[in-house]
Amino acid sequence: MGYIHFENIHKDFGHNHVLKGITLDIEKGHLVTLLGPSGCGKSTLLRCLAGLEEVTSGTISLDGKDITHVNPRDRGIGMVFQQYSLFPNMTVAQNVAFGLNMKKVDKETTARKVREMLTIVGLDDKADQYPSQLSGGQQQRVALARAIVTEPKVLLLDEPLSAIDAKLRRNLQVEIRRIQQDFGMTTIFVTHDQDEAMVMSDVIHLFHNGLIEQSGAPTEMYTQPVSKFAASFIGNYNILSAAEFQKASGEAVDSADVAIRPEIVRINLEVADESKRYHMEGEVIDSLSHGNLIRYTVLCNDVEINADIMFEKSQLLEIGQKVRLSIRKTNVIQLNS
């Protein structure tokens, strides 16, 4: 049994079955991401753990103790939401101190802990300012400091970066990961952003329609999707039916669908004869720049294949150009239904 253990969790809202029997272990000290599209149940499971929602059935334990019906304030859990929920009439220092004051920690200890926490999140020079005087990223760091300063057993982060611009979000991803590792704090992060999950996680649990579709380390999730949904949600796979694959390559596969990562597709201008590869002939019909990559879309016998190629000006392909694709056979993933 893990440090956090969910056992057969069901959660219904009227006739809407949001969680459909989730059993899940989370190990102490890990940063675990619950990933999935809107409405899949990931935030609901987080709120059940925090005590903000009652489970319909099932049990939740933390550090060996059943907390299914324990008062939220007695669970030892800190939480940061998408909306920062800072008190506008309190300074940064007062916001961070709020949880300690609720626990009736003495003033000297509270002042010391607040100073230390503001230094950790890089806001020691903002202690006397008010939330309205801070940027969105700074407000998010205040919310993070307020959640961590009470030294919770578990930190829950419910899409805390979704309202922040892309560049700042990347910086905060690294910062949150660093703080989590420095404290060795068990952390559960909820997001619908696969790139965010890949950057931050020890383990990813991919949710789909109230169930866990797949679990694993980020590299495993990316390179070994187990289903069509997993392949479509994580990465930018080419997902082809068996019939489409045979139409494009001339070879059959045993599964209903296959998934192919764009970056493993080679574009050859000349005939390549390698028995360990599938080969397809086609025409470039589109190109899109992704920074240091160019994604070419190649039409192979009426089937579209995306190929990601490193940007080299001398080797740019033109729309309408005839090309040959080759894909190592071991990189074609045969999917479950």
Side-chain angles (χ1 to χ4, degrees), residues 171-243:
N171 292 337
L172 284 173
Q173 289 168 4
V174 173
E175 193 165 348
I176 288 172
R177 183 62 165 150
R178 175 185 61 80
I179 292 170
Q180 182 267 334
Q181 290 178 322
D182 287 348
F183 278 80
M185 183 176 295
T186 307
T187 302
I188 304 177
F189 191 95
V190 164
T191 184
H192 61 272
D193 187 325
Q194 51 135 329
D195 293 330
E196 196 163 72
M198 295 291 291
V199 167
M200 298 186 65
S201 312
D202 292 308
V203 177
I204 297 171
H205 300 287
L206 177 62
F207 276 60
H208 181 42
N209 289 336
L211 295 168
I212 296 176
E213 184 83 1
Q214 184 175 354
S215 299
T219 52
E220 177 186 349
M221 297 291 286
Y222 184 70
T223 59
Q224 301 175 49
V226 299
S227 67
K228 188 173 182 178
F229 172 78
S232 66
F233 199 85
I234 297 181
N236 296 286
Y237 276 88
N238 297 285
I239 300 176
L240 309 177
S241 68

Side-chain angles (χ1 to χ4, degrees), residues 38-294:
S38 298
C40 67
K42 57 190 187 299
S43 290
T44 299
L45 186 67
L46 201 75
R47 292 175 64 84
C48 289
L49 174 58
L52 303 179
E53 298 285 356
E54 282 282 340
V55 301
T56 301
S57 63
T59 58
I60 304 173
S61 61
L62 171 59
D63 197 14
K65 177 184 177 182
D66 187 339
I67 62 168
T68 311
H69 303 293
V70 171
N71 190 298
R73 70 176 59 185
D74 298 324
R75 297 190 181 201
I77 291 175
M79 192 162 185
V80 179
F81 298 92
Q82 180 178 345
Q83 302 300 323
Y84 317 134
S85 303
L86 301 178
F87 299 107
N89 60 332
M90 292 185 182
T91 65
V92 167
Q94 290 169 337
N95 266 282
V96 176
F98 180 78
L100 296 172
N101 292 334
M102 293 295 292
K103 291 177 174 289
K104 302 188 185 303
V105 176
D106 67 85
K107 290 185 178 180
E108 183 177 342
T109 301
T110 295
R112 175 178 57 79
K113 284 179 173 286
V114 168
R115 284 195 304 271
E116 291 173 351
M117 188 54 58
L118 289 178
T119 298
I120 288 171
V121 298
L123 293 174
D124 45 324
D125 60 337
K126 306 292 185 183
D128 297 325
Q129 294 190 11
Y130 289 87
S132 61
Q133 298 174 288
L134 304 178
S135 68
Q138 289 170 332
Q139 291 182 43
Q140 188 59 277
R141 282 185 279 167
V142 175
L144 182 63
R146 183 176 62 184
I148 294 175
V149 74
T150 57
E151 300 178 16
K153 291 183 176 180
V154 179
L155 176 64
L156 308 182
L157 303 169
D158 191 3
E159 304 217 38
L161 307 180
S162 59
I164 297 173
D165 68 81
K167 183 177 180 180
L168 181 57
R169 188 186 310 131
R170 287 192 292 271
N171 292 337
L172 284 173
Q173 289 168 4
V174 173
E175 193 165 348
I176 288 172
R177 183 62 165 150
R178 175 185 61 80
I179 292 170
Q180 182 267 334
Q181 290 178 322
D182 287 348
F183 278 80
M185 183 176 295
T186 307
T187 302
I188 304 177
F189 191 95
V190 164
T191 184
H192 61 272
D193 187 325
Q194 51 135 329
D195 293 330
E196 196 163 72
M198 295 291 291
V199 167
M200 298 186 65
S201 312
D202 292 308
V203 177
I204 297 171
H205 300 287
L206 177 62
F207 276 60
H208 181 42
N209 289 336
L211 295 168
I212 296 176
E213 184 83 1
Q214 184 175 354
S215 299
T219 52
E220 177 186 349
M221 297 291 286
Y222 184 70
T223 59
Q224 301 175 49
V226 299
S227 67
K228 188 173 182 178
F229 172 78
S232 66
F233 199 85
I234 297 181
N236 296 286
Y237 276 88
N238 297 285
I239 300 176
L240 309 177
S241 68
E244 288 174 324
F245 183 78
Q246 185 168 13
K247 187 177 183 181
S249 70
E251 300 196 42
V253 291
D254 294 330
S255 61
D257 303 284
V258 300
I260 304 166
R261 298 198 312 276
E263 68 269 21
I264 58 87
V265 179
R266 287 186 187 175
I267 295 182
N268 306 306
L269 300 182
E270 298 178 355
V271 175
D273 183 17
E274 300 177 52
S275 60
K276 294 182 179 180
R277 291 179 170 270
Y278 294 112
H279 301 283
M280 307 175 187
E281 296 184 1
E283 176 183 324
V284 177
I285 61 170
D286 194 15
S287 65
L288 183 64
S289 176
H290 288 264
N292 64 332
L293 295 175
I294 294 182

